[in-house]
Amino acid sequence: MSITNDHELKALVRERFTRTAEVFGDYAIAHRVGEAELLAHLVAAGPNDRAIDLACGPGTLALRFAKHVRWICGLDLTPAILSRAKATASKDGLQNLVFLLGDAQAIPFVDSSLDLAVTSYSLHHISDPGSVLREMARVVKPGGRVGVLDILVPEDPKVRELNHRIEKLRDPSHARSLARSDYEKMMVDAGLRIIATEVRGHPRTFDHWMHVAGWKRTDHEYVEARKWMELSIADDGANFHPRFEPADVVQPGDAPDIYMINTGIYIAAEKI
């Protein structure tokens, strides 16, 4: 399972989320409200908390957490996606939310200066995801909380490899598919104690999954990713639980869509 070097990977992330700032932003803000609220509940976000949302994208967490905390900063590498986040915050009239251009592996806050640090769907884009958790632990106070929401794959290396292959075809900035043991080890190494976890499946169609990544059915990336997804149907070999749409729903001449499930893990931890 190859991982692009850190500099190249960050360039891929910027390119990917610049190109999909609007389509991905529309999806995340509209459809991940429930996910953000669940994480806010698990980390007990409260009105006295000062918080940071790392690799915040269009504000998936920051926009929701702003309704629960005293103050929150959204930090991201990509100017285009930050502009999308700022526009939504302005439209919603949020006054306790700021956005900064920056790197989740080098948070521009001093040690023990925040109560809460969260991130969503970012760690699988980072060559050294443990470094992000160490930074999150560094900036929160002793007893402060850290929250992570990301994709989850089984421990089976064959399943992880095929999952990674499909994810990488869909999104070249995908660095690594992570299993529960990866998250647990990174938390321990960062000096964090896990206090709550949830695993939930998020159903969607393959077409929509590819659409929010910027691909059409005619694109090579779509065709290749779909080929491997179809090959995984018989034994669920990539853990997407795919199945074809019933044939009577499909228009004549169209390839049937594929229903699938993205498995997500929610983790709340505290700084020891």
Side-chain angles (χ1 to χ4, degrees):
M1 186 180 296
S2 64
I3 298 177
T4 311
N5 76 56
D6 195 56
H7 177 74
E8 291 176 346
L9 188 57
K10 287 175 182 176
L12 283 171
V13 168
R14 288 190 190 95
E15 184 279 329
R16 171 64 40 185
F17 288 99
T18 296
R19 189 164 74 86
T20 63
E22 290 304 317
V23 65
F24 172 73
D26 289 347
Y27 162 72
I29 297 306
H31 296 283
R32 287 184 170 164
V33 170
E35 296 178 58
E37 290 292 343
L38 175 55
L39 191 63
H41 170 72
L42 291 178
V43 298
N48 294 320
D49 288 333
R50 288 171 49 84
I52 189 165
D53 174 14
L54 298 175
C56 67
T60 309
L61 296 183
L63 293 165
R64 301 305 306 178
F65 273 67
K67 302 176 187 298
H68 298 280
V69 301
R70 177 157 60 99
W71 179 87
I72 186 165
C73 170
L75 186 78
D76 201 276
L77 278 175
T78 306
I81 205 82
L82 278 177
S83 294
R84 175 70 169 73
K86 289 175 184 177
T88 305
S90 177
K91 183 184 69 175
D92 291 351
L94 297 172
Q95 302 297 314
N96 63 334
L97 171 57
V98 299
F99 291 99
L100 294 177
L101 186 67
D103 187 343
Q105 293 172 281
I107 304 173
F109 286 83
V110 299
D111 296 1
S112 303
S113 57
L114 300 172
D115 303 289
L116 184 60
V118 295
T119 189
S120 65
Y121 297 107
S122 67
L123 297 183
H124 67 270
H125 289 290
I126 297 169
S127 58
D128 179 12
S131 67
V132 177
L133 288 172
R134 292 192 296 272
E135 276 291 274
M136 295 169 84
R138 178 184 67 79
V139 299
V140 299
K141 302 170 183 176
R145 288 94 65 217
V146 166
V148 170
L149 163 57
D150 217 299
I151 60 174
L152 178 70
V153 294
E155 302 289 342
D156 185 331
K158 290 184 178 179
V159 176
R160 294 179 68 173
E161 179 63 32
L162 185 52
N163 179 281
H164 175 84
R165 179 193 290 267
I166 295 170
E167 289 275 10
K168 190 78 172 175
L169 283 165
R170 176 183 180 262
D171 181 355
S173 70
H174 179 87
R176 183 181 174 198
S177 296
L178 297 164
R180 185 185 288 267
S181 61
D182 297 311
Y183 293 108
E184 291 174 349
K185 183 179 187 304
M186 290 187 295
M187 291 282 181
V188 170
D189 290 347
L192 298 166
R193 181 177 70 89
I194 294 174
I195 55 177
T197 62
E198 293 258 1
V199 175
R200 295 200 178 183
H202 304 294
R204 63 201 306 186
T205 65
F206 179 80
D207 265 17
H208 183 260
W209 189 55
M210 295 300 288
H211 170 69
V212 299
W215 305 118
K216 305 184 298 295
R217 279 194 169 200
T218 53
D219 291 327
H220 170 76
E221 291 81 358
Y222 178 103
V223 173
E224 281 295 300
R226 181 175 173 117
K227 178 186 77 174
W228 287 104
M229 184 68 81
E230 289 185 7
L231 288 171
S232 78
I233 288 176
D235 63 353
D236 193 20
N239 197 53
F240 287 110
H241 314 302
R243 63 180 177 84
F244 285 116
E245 180 178 311
D248 59 358
V249 179
V250 180
Q251 296 298 316
D254 284 350
D257 205 349
I258 298 171
Y259 285 105
M260 57 180 284
I261 295 175
N262 288 128
T263 302
I265 187 166
Y266 304 72
I267 305 174
E270 69 176 5
K271 184 174 180 177
I272 299 171

